Amino acid sequence: MSCWAVVVAAGRGERAGLGHNKVFEPVRGRTVLARCLDAFTRSGRFDGVALVLSEQEIPAFEALRQREGPFPLVRRVVPGGASRRDSVYHGLEALPGDTQLVAIHDAARPFVTNDVIDATLDAAAQFGSGVISTPVTDTIKLLLPDGSVTTPDRGALRAVQTPQAFRFDMILKAHRSAQADAFPATDDAMLFEHYYGGVKLVTAPGAQENIKLTTRADFEAVAGRGFSDMRVGHGYDAHRLKSGRRLVLCGVEVPHDRGLDGHSDADVAVHALMDALLGALGLGDIGGHFPDTDPAYEGIDSMKLLQKVMDEVRAMGYGMGNADITIVAQKPKLAGFIPRMKARVAGALGVSPDRVNVKATTTERMGFEGEETGISAQAVALLIRDALNVPAN
Ligand code: CTP
Ligand code: MG
């Protein structure tokens, strides 16, 4: 069944008071928007995502794509509108005409889980709509226009969230009518109720954690959670210098009269970092994951292998705390290349560059590095279990 998501991120995030759109705010090393797109990728049920952004923030998303992406599921980037309803409408109009189901989601809810997404899509496939909801824990008062107050039965109240999934043809028609009628709506379920008489509410484990980041306090609360499970890993590697080879360190080619010898591109620094990541999670070493007897890895760009290792880290529910790499080489001088090395490594890891440090040292001509027989590298990496954003396990 052809299934798309519309993720709306075109708000201003005024209540969060961060001075910029809150969806570009990092939460523990990864921005809200990237986390939200991760969740839709992890779901595996979508043919594409239409991401709705305010027009002037589309370049900021392209920069995010470079840093934390590439988000291949995002197949449409659509300019949003003045209200959330307009933004959703623009997203729906951008979907392929043969789309059958659509899940509409606020980018401000980055902790959405597979269970929550599945519950809404399954209901939409069966009933035409599926809206994630939770019981209400506060007692709610209804303030009437004459100033009097009544108390609805709490047991009958539900708070609704996103995603809200619908049959595509029905919700598109409802949104088109709402445009014509100027019907005000704070969510899409309201439109469905108005034009079709109701929606199907669903519940799922994970709905409690599927919070919307609205205020600064919400950001502070999630920043403090999940730090208890941290893992540290160390990596070491050394390669011999040989003429006729390129010298590649942290994904950057450094001009030199010789390069490092090895089966892959022999990027000794990235190899040390991969071993640190694998070591932190008790997954052995790169030799076991990418054997040098396998022709698939002949001459391969080590940054590709680093991305694979980081995918594995994320699949286990961990995120990057920070990494620190030391390259030990007598020559060439590396200082001028370090900013690019940091950026390359951070890009492959999908984290902001301030999470990665690269430094170089000589050994004052002592040992094999000092004698220029070879170059070695060491790395440490700290991984943090992301308690709010893990696949069900
Ligand atoms: N949104 C949108 N287009 C708008 C307004 C809101 O795409 N014109 C999106 C927001 O980016 C957010 C979601 O709708 O992901 C839910 O809205 P809300 O939490 O209110 O976010 P903001 O409107 O950005 O925040 P605020 O109301 O505090 O300014
Ligand atoms: Mg708003």
Side-chain angles (χ1 to χ4, degrees), residues 83-303:
S83 67
R84 183 189 177 282
R85 196 203 70 195
D86 288 334
S87 292
V88 173
Y89 169 67
H90 291 147
L92 292 173
E93 288 286 4
L95 298 192
D98 61 358
T99 303
Q100 289 166 295
L101 290 182
V102 60
I104 300 169
H105 187 64
D106 291 341
R109 293 186 191 269
F111 306 122
V112 57
T113 61
N114 284 355
D115 287 338
V116 166
I117 291 172
D118 288 345
T120 63
L121 288 178
D122 293 344
Q126 197 180 345
F127 306 107
S129 64
V131 173
I132 192 72
S133 71
T134 56
V136 172
T137 50
D138 289 333
T139 295
I140 307 285
K141 302 287 178 190
L142 189 63
L143 184 59
L144 298 169
D146 66 1
S148 64
V149 168
T150 63
T151 308
D153 169 19
R154 190 171 67 188
L157 290 172
R158 295 291 178 274
V160 300
Q161 312 177 337
T162 68
Q164 302 187 345
F166 304 94
R167 258 182 54 190
F168 175 62
D169 55 346
M170 293 179 80
I171 192 70
L172 178 62
K173 198 158 165 250
H175 264 276
R176 283 179 177 162
S177 303
Q179 288 289 321
D181 302 346
F183 179 78
T186 50
D187 74 350
D188 306 286
M190 272 178 78
L191 300 188
F192 217 79
E193 292 153 25
H194 182 70
Y195 292 107
Y196 304 113
V199 290
K200 178 78 180 167
L201 296 182
V202 298
T203 57
Q208 294 294 348
E209 288 91 74
N210 183 28
I211 57 168
K212 182 153 78 72
L213 296 171
T214 306
T215 63
R216 182 181 279 265
D218 294 334
F219 278 86
E220 282 162 4
V222 295
R225 272 195 245 175
F227 270 95
S228 54
D229 187 3
M230 297 191 276
R231 314 279 301 242
V232 67
H234 171 257
Y236 171 79
D237 195 23
H239 283 266
R240 191 176 282 278
L241 280 161
K242 188 182 172 191
S243 44
R245 294 269 306 177
R246 300 182 311 138
L247 178 60
V248 181
L249 294 168
C250 289
V252 176
E253 186 163 345
V254 180
H256 193 45
D257 57 354
R258 288 173 298 161
L260 292 175
D261 194 17
H263 185 66
S264 65
D265 61 6
D267 189 331
V268 68
V270 169
H271 293 182
L273 178 58
M274 288 193 283
D275 267 350
L277 295 172
L278 293 169
L281 294 182
L283 295 175
D285 62 16
I286 49 173
H289 285 249
F290 312 112
D292 60 10
T293 48
D294 187 336
Y297 302 120
E298 174 112 43
I300 194 166
D301 177 358
S302 293
M303 300 306 272

Side-chain angles (χ1 to χ4, degrees), residues 4 24 30-31 33-34 37 41 48-51 53 57-78 307 343 346-351:
W4 276 67
F24 289 102
R30 196 157 170 82
T31 61
L33 181 54
L37 297 172
T41 304
V49 168
L51 174 63
L53 286 165
E57 284 183 333
I58 291 176
F61 174 65
E62 294 308 330
L64 181 72
R65 255 193 162 141
Q66 298 286 321
R67 266 197 336 272
E68 299 186 25
F71 313 123
L73 201 59
V74 177
R75 292 171 56 199
R76 306 271 196 282
V77 178
V78 184
Q307 274 169 10
L349 295 172
V351 300

